[in-house]
Amino acid sequence: MWRAGSMSAELGVAFALRTVKERVQQAVARRPRDLPAIEPRLVAVSKTKPADVVIEAYSHGQRTFGENYVQELLEKASNPKILSSCPEIKWHFIGHLQKQNVNKLMAVPNLFMLETVDSVKLADKVNSSWQKKGSPERLKVMVQINTSGEESKHGLLPSETVAMVEHINAKCPSLEFVGLMTIGSFGHDLSQGPNPDFQIEVGSTNVR
């Protein structure tokens, strides 16, 4: 994952973006042909980076940015320079969300997706808050699963996933379930095969 601005000091944001996009396309070319031909979305993680770096990346075609902390995202997304220079920006929240911060997150301008729904109570709170906001569009959400079983990571058990998705679809009309999110264990040797944390059985459905 490229973190916005991590190469800018030496090579520039434009070069970094181009390099990462080329690597993504190379990975797409190696994808098994039996998988759906879905174009990957590059989310540039911009946490701790100033507004100028976000604007620079936007000027080179990047539209989707991810932030881990609610307060930082709110301040950055509300920045007048970003609001005026990046009208099509799409913010993803990718950090752990505590229920007491839900209303603050829902106030973020151009919030596009919440990737870390990990409980029924959180889903209900997000649904209620987004509903009160009165947005004509449903908020896109992902369900976070802890596939590696590491205590340091948030997320549902794989066995709890189907019930969680069914709850969102049936009880959260202001939310749009768009997929699953997992981090997986770090350092898997791909020469030994795909990381098993990204190949799991969810109910009767095989997710890869």
Side-chain angles (χ1 to χ4, degrees):
M1 181 183 292
W2 171 68
R3 296 186 182 278
S6 62
M7 297 175 64
S8 60
E10 297 180 9
L11 301 173
V13 170
F15 181 86
L17 278 171
R18 185 168 62 251
T19 300
V20 172
K21 288 178 180 179
E22 288 174 355
R23 291 173 58 191
V24 169
Q25 291 307 312
Q26 291 167 3
V28 168
R30 297 192 300 269
R31 185 167 53 188
R33 300 304 177 189
D34 60 334
L35 293 179
I38 299 173
E39 186 67 20
R41 177 190 290 118
L42 175 63
V43 179
V45 179
S46 52
K47 68 173 184 178
T48 75
K49 300 300 182 287
D52 288 345
V53 171
V54 173
I55 293 170
E56 184 179 358
Y58 185 95
S59 72
H60 291 290
Q62 182 63 26
R63 292 293 181 269
T64 307
F65 296 83
E67 290 281 339
N68 290 63
Y69 305 109
V70 173
Q71 186 60 37
E72 182 180 357
L73 171 55
L74 181 59
E75 291 175 1
K76 198 171 295 180
S78 303
N79 185 295
K81 291 171 64 177
I82 289 181
L83 287 171
S84 62
S85 302
C86 311
E88 297 178 357
I89 198 168
K90 297 177 179 179
W91 293 105
H92 286 220
F93 187 74
I94 60 175
H96 178 61
L97 179 60
Q98 297 177 318
K99 289 190 290 293
Q100 62 263 33
N101 289 327
V102 167
N103 290 339
K104 186 181 293 186
L105 178 64
M106 298 301 102
V108 168
N110 298 308
L111 180 65
F112 183 75
M113 187 182 298
L114 167 59
E115 295 191 10
T116 52
V117 175
D118 60 1
S119 73
V120 167
K121 289 183 178 180
L122 179 61
D124 289 343
K125 177 68 174 177
V126 171
N127 178 72
S128 175
S129 184
W130 190 256
Q131 205 167 44
K132 291 176 182 177
K133 183 177 179 177
S135 174
E137 303 290 336
R138 292 186 294 166
L139 177 65
K140 293 177 171 56
V141 298
M142 288 185 173
V143 170
Q144 182 175 3
I145 313 171
N146 186 350
T147 55
S148 64
E150 296 171 271
E151 293 184 0
S152 61
K153 294 176 180 174
H154 297 282
L156 297 167
L157 295 173
S159 60
E160 300 172 331
T161 306
V162 171
M164 182 75 236
V165 173
E166 289 177 342
H167 177 83
I168 291 174
N169 287 336
K171 303 294 185 180
C172 301
S174 294
L175 306 183
E176 179 186 356
F177 169 73
V178 295
L180 307 177
M181 188 279 269
T182 190
I183 297 174
S185 57
F186 180 75
H188 176 75
D189 184 359
L190 292 177
S191 68
Q192 303 300 312
N195 189 331
D197 294 338
F198 297 98
Q199 295 187 313
I200 60 172
E201 293 289 337
V202 178
S204 60
T205 302
N206 182 41
V207 178
R208 291 189 289 172

